């Protein structure tokens, strides 16, 4: 059996169907699938990525289930972490941008998650008014449910 045949086209995680999406040959990537636009049961935007291409291990599947089930809570945790960390001088925000961090609505939105087979994951806020988030947004790295770092995506090569 070839390696490609061992990579499933679909995954079932926490009652959500993930469908394999187009990606470079060396990577296997699945995204949560909804039944249609505007469906009230649309799953959160979560992807599972394995490199080199293979079926994901049980730890990645378990982590993806946690991210799916607690997506709104974890997005809030990620936003709070960004508000705190981005105020630090190392990120170079100007006074106006730092002021937006204290506003009632955070200056980032459209969260989406990528879970890797090594047990880490990234919550990317695809939309942000902050300069450092241009053009791909800004990410929060997690280990389990704990944020561990800010990921500058300004030079990223996104699939």
């Amino acid at each position: 059996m070839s390696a490609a045949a061992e990579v499933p086209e679909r995954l079932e995680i926490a009652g959500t169907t993930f469908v394999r999406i187009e990606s470079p040959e060396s990577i296997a990537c699945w995204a949560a699938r909804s039944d249609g636009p505007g469906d009230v049961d649309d799953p959160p935007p979560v992807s599972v990525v394995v490199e080199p291409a293979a079926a994901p291990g049980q730890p990645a599947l378990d982590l993806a289930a946690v991210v799916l089930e607690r997506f709104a809570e974890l997005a809030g945790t990620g936003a709070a972490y960004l508000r705190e960390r981005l105020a630090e001088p190392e990120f170079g925000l100007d006074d106006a941008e730092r002021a937006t961090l204290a506003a009632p609505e955070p200056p980032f939105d459209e969260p989406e998650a990528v879970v890797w087979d090594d047990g880490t994951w990234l919550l990317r806020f695809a939309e942000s008014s902050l300069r450092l988030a241009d053009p791909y947004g800004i990410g929060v790295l997690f280990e389990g449910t704990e944020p561990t770092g800010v990921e500058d995506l300004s030079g990223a090569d996104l699939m």
Side-chain angles (χ1 to χ4, degrees), residues 6-86:
E6 296 172 11
V7 179
E9 289 299 315
R10 293 177 175 275
L11 303 172
E12 292 296 326
I13 303 172
T16 299
T17 300
F18 283 68
V19 177
R20 189 156 182 213
I21 60 174
E22 189 175 328
S23 60
E25 192 174 301
S26 63
I27 298 172
C29 183
W30 297 266
R33 191 193 96 193
S34 67
D35 291 328
D39 186 338
V40 292
D41 294 327
D42 279 351
V46 177
S47 300
V48 176
V49 177
V50 180
E51 185 176 12
Q58 193 60 48
L61 296 172
D62 293 345
L63 178 58
V66 169
V67 172
L68 275 169
E69 292 167 355
R70 296 176 55 190
F71 189 81
E73 172 195 344
L74 294 168
T77 298
Y81 182 79
L82 281 177
R83 284 180 189 249
E84 181 181 316
R85 288 291 316 278
L86 293 178

